[in-house]
Amino acid sequence: RTPDFIVCDYELADQRRGSDVIRDLREEFNADIPALLVTGNTAGGVAELASRELGVPVLYKPLEASALRSSLEKLLINEDR
């Protein structure tokens, strides 16, 4: 089953990046699955570059539940169009 959406931390274990996971899942399911990147790293803009490349928003930690909910609603509304 194709995921409805992906919420992934940008910096993962073993030097893996959330942007790689999003890309891999989209390729595996051959679908443009809506996604969000989450990070606590505000230095360097690396997450922003990945975000632009994949066309996904970046949310910064600490993350408010209302910000997550709002971002997911926007993603899913855009998917329905």
Side-chain angles (χ1 to χ4, degrees), residues 31-49:
D32 189 21
I33 304 165
L36 296 171
L37 277 173
V38 179
T39 187
N41 185 348
T42 58
V46 177
E48 289 83 0
L49 291 173

Side-chain angles (χ1 to χ4, degrees), residues 7-24:
V7 177
C8 194
D9 201 332
Y10 181 69
E11 295 175 357
L12 304 172
D14 299 328
Q15 303 298 320
R16 224 44 199 138
R17 300 283 183 214
S19 53
D20 297 327
V21 172
I22 292 168
R23 189 178 299 105
D24 291 348

Side-chain angles (χ1 to χ4, degrees), residues 8-80:
C8 194
D9 201 332
Y10 181 69
E11 295 175 357
L12 304 172
D14 299 328
Q15 303 298 320
R16 224 44 199 138
R17 300 283 183 214
S19 53
D20 297 327
V21 172
I22 292 168
R23 189 178 299 105
D24 291 348
L25 286 169
R26 286 176 169 178
E27 287 177 12
E28 180 177 334
F29 289 99
N30 194 29
D32 189 21
I33 304 165
L36 296 171
L37 277 173
V38 179
T39 187
N41 185 348
T42 58
V46 177
E48 289 83 0
L49 291 173
S51 165
R52 279 184 290 228
E53 177 186 323
L54 294 170
V56 301
V58 176
L59 300 176
Y60 294 93
K61 298 176 193 175
L63 187 59
E64 300 268 339
S66 60
L68 177 60
R69 182 176 37 255
S70 174
S71 294
L72 286 173
E73 287 173 353
K74 287 176 189 173
L75 279 180
L76 298 176
I77 288 170
N78 287 336
E79 264 311 286
D80 290 339

